[in-house]
Amino acid sequence: MAKRESYEAKTEAFLEPLVKEHEFELVDVEYVREAGTWYLRAYIDKEGGIAVDDCEVISRKLSDWLDQEDFIEDSYILEVSSPGLGRPLKKEKDFARSIGRDVEIRLYKALNKSKEYTGVLKAYDKESVTLGMEDGSDLVFQRTEIALIRLALDF
């Protein structure tokens, strides 16, 4: 397991019971480098949305635990936030919750001269995602071809 994945897994294992205790959902944990700076990010959510105070509660407890455990070698910035409206679908529960909803898919390479598709999420498994299109047809995308999949935003 790479250093990044190890940090994410340890952090996620600590956070799962903590967020459940507060009746939140742990959406994702990521350890990423952006513009030369490392970030440890935890995304939490709950029915009705997450407030700043919710993030603060989790952030304080997570920060204290990270200081105590001290397993991350690099200096980093800790962020706890809502995943936002345009969050990617990554985990099984994200896909299950999104069945029947409009999603956007961006592909690595063009399919039928397009890299972007929007449709109703009809089905998914480990290898593929099926969208119902406006014309009534279904399109099946291989997961390996998908760069991003997220809920479509209607404004």
Side-chain angles (χ1 to χ4, degrees), residues 83-145:
L85 292 174
R87 78 178 190 222
L89 306 182
K90 292 184 176 182
K91 299 183 178 184
E92 171 80 17
K93 62 186 173 187
D94 298 330
F95 284 92
R97 180 178 36 234
S98 301
I99 287 286
R101 298 182 68 186
D102 286 344
V103 296
E104 296 174 355
I105 286 183
R106 287 199 190 132
L107 303 174
Y108 290 112
K109 295 188 318 187
L111 172 69
N112 301 327
K113 299 181 182 176
S114 181
K115 283 186 167 184
E116 296 186 12
Y117 291 86
T118 301
V120 175
L121 180 61
K122 293 183 83 174
Y124 66 93
D125 59 32
K126 289 183 187 220
E127 283 84 36
S128 65
V129 173
T130 303
L131 294 190
M133 308 308 288
E134 270 189 15
D135 66 4
S137 67
D138 289 348
L139 266 180
V140 179
F141 300 91
Q142 296 306 305
R143 289 261 188 118
T144 56
E145 299 170 341

